[in-house]
Amino acid sequence: MIKLAPSILAADFSRLGEEVAACEAAGADYIHVDVMDGRFVPQITVGPLIVEALRSRTRLPLDVHLMIEEPERHIQAFGQAGADILTVHQEASSLLHRLIERIKGLGLRAGVSINPMTPVASVEEVLPYIDLLLLMTVDPGYGAQTFILSMLEKIKKARSLLDEKGFSCELEVDGGINNETAPQVVAAGATVLVAGTAVFGEGREIGAAIEALRAFVS
């Protein structure tokens, strides 16, 4: 079954607990937490304290995406705060295998992400060791961007590689996911969809938005 991971980057932070609870009630599979440090990407978002607060408000797995420099300095803090999945960027670590081992050593699921212009081949060697491969389908750092259509071919390449090698990690996509693009990325081979404005956008009712997305990918 395709999993949906609403991204709190687009949520109303003044009502964050309520909105995450609404996602859980509507049948979301993960809560996606975008962590930005103002260095790896231009924006600054949240840290371990928000993850800890979310952990007390939901039973859903917290899918924490570290868009930060030197992620090795912070993985323990996010693990202690309650993250279930920690995803780091291939572009941010020169010792990626060691970092994956450290994440797993904390009892967490390990993910690796790559930016739109980073080839899938750059992470081929770590695929046997990870639980999740995250493909960015927009340039990281900002919400409400338009899906880069050429990423459909990249998703297909990743899907083929995973299937050919027999790797079982989930294939997650993040960026520009909505009712139109969701079925396209699923057809290309994605198994986890991160959606921000498609769930939390102005005027949207969270439950109805998740239900609509689910209908488009079922």
Side-chain angles (χ1 to χ4, degrees), residues 174-194:
D174 182 358
I177 300 301
N178 54 39
N179 293 349
E180 179 182 353
T181 57
Q184 296 179 64
V185 300
V186 168
T191 58
V192 183
L193 310 185
V194 177

Side-chain angles (χ1 to χ4, degrees), residues 25-76:
D29 299 285
Y30 296 153
I31 296 297
H32 190 82
V33 183
D34 287 308
V35 177
M36 305 179 190
D37 63 357
R39 296 174 61 203
F40 183 73
V41 293
Q43 300 298 310
I44 297 174
T45 55
V46 303
L49 288 177
I50 295 296
V51 173
E52 185 176 6
L54 289 172
R55 180 74 289 154
S56 69
R57 297 300 299 269
T58 183
R59 295 167 295 178
L60 292 178
L62 297 179
D63 175 23
V64 179
H65 178 193
L66 300 180
M67 288 178 272
I68 63 176
E69 298 283 355
E70 301 178 301
E72 62 276 3
R73 295 179 55 203
H74 303 285
I75 59 172
Q76 185 167 347

